Amino acid sequence: MFSFLFSGSCFLCRGAAGELLCADCLAELPRLPVPACPRCALTSPRGEPCGRCLAEPPPFEATVAALAYDFPADVLIHALKFRGELALAPFLGNMLSQKTEHVDLIVPVPLSRERLRERGYNQAVEIARALGRPLELELCTRQRHGTAQTELPLAERHRNVRGAFACTRRLDGQSVAVVDDVMTTGATLAEVATTLKAAGAARVVNWVIARTLPPHA
Ligand SMILES: [Zn+2]
Ligand SMILES: [Zn+2]
């Protein structure tokens, strides 16, 4: 099921490559707009917090994304998440680690026990391992796993994850980075951040491989 081996050809175009992707495919990976809102990583003219984050401040302080969730980044993430292409995790995680700051704790978004059994691995954990720093794998748990977020209309995603997470100890005054593969509405990450803040976390930042941009961006 899992493929770990790098065959010497580009994962995307199958051309010759010295790494997982050839130089051309690497250059074509979709970047995020600059400047961006520091809180949600969407376009913001002067790099200031955007109108949406000012009007309704999210429970996290910052979002760092390696890429925009667009072709062919979506192909890579889909392969990592659903086809067991775990060799993509260190590759994508390295792209992310170049943009991260110091935090006290790193927490991958947990899967529920059922989902973990089904899939056999948690892609967020695999990405977070690539950051080369100690992870907190028992700190945050997922109590239940409703419908997969990707199967729901955007408007229903916040309700679907409400109360889904729990924190196993106090985090008073600590800064926490939450790692996930994709941020779309941010509903899951907002719920995790709310849970961590309720446990006393002082600062929560999202570290994601790819950020979905609104259709007009
Ligand atoms: Zn290529
Ligand atoms: Zn924003």
Side-chain angles (χ1 to χ4, degrees), residues 56-69:
E56 215 178 311
F60 42 78
E61 273 67 34
T63 298
V64 173
L67 298 167
Y69 190 62

Side-chain angles (χ1 to χ4, degrees), residues 149-158 185:
Q149 291 288 78
T150 47
E151 288 167 20
L152 289 175
L154 299 184
E156 287 175 29
R157 293 186 182 186
H158 280 277
T185 61

Side-chain angles (χ1 to χ4, degrees), residues 62-99:
T63 298
V64 173
L67 298 167
Y69 190 62
D70 208 341
F71 181 82
D74 55 351
V75 175
L76 300 178
I77 286 173
H78 195 271
L80 167 63
K81 195 166 177 172
F82 299 110
R83 300 209 323 262
E85 297 281 1
L86 298 186
L88 290 166
F91 178 80
L92 295 169
N94 281 338
M95 298 190 78
L96 179 59
S97 73
Q98 293 163 17
K99 302 176 106 178

Side-chain angles (χ1 to χ4, degrees), residues 90-188:
F91 178 80
L92 295 169
N94 281 338
M95 298 190 78
L96 179 59
S97 73
Q98 293 163 17
K99 302 176 106 178
T100 57
E101 58 186 306
H102 170 80
V103 289
D104 297 317
L105 305 167
I106 301 179
V107 177
V109 171
L111 294 180
S112 65
R113 218 174 293 201
E114 306 93 280
R115 190 61 49 84
L116 188 59
R117 215 174 9 234
E118 229 171 74
R119 193 173 293 167
Y121 61 97
N122 176 353
Q123 72 281 358
V125 170
E126 299 304 320
I127 292 163
R129 282 190 209 290
L131 302 171
R133 283 175 265 173
L135 305 180
E136 295 281 345
L137 297 179
E138 311 296 333
L139 174 62
C140 185
T141 59
R142 195 167 193 142
Q143 313 293 78
R144 56 183 174 78
H145 219 123
T147 313
Q149 291 288 78
T150 47
E151 288 167 20
L152 289 175
L154 299 184
E156 287 175 29
R157 293 186 182 186
H158 280 277
R159 196 158 43 89
N160 188 48
V161 289
R162 197 159 299 149
F165 300 96
C167 202
T168 54
R169 65 165 199 265
R170 294 294 305 170
L171 302 171
D172 295 301
Q174 306 225 267
S175 61
V176 186
V178 180
V179 179
D180 208 357
D181 52 351
V182 181
M183 177 177 184
T184 303
T185 61
T188 302

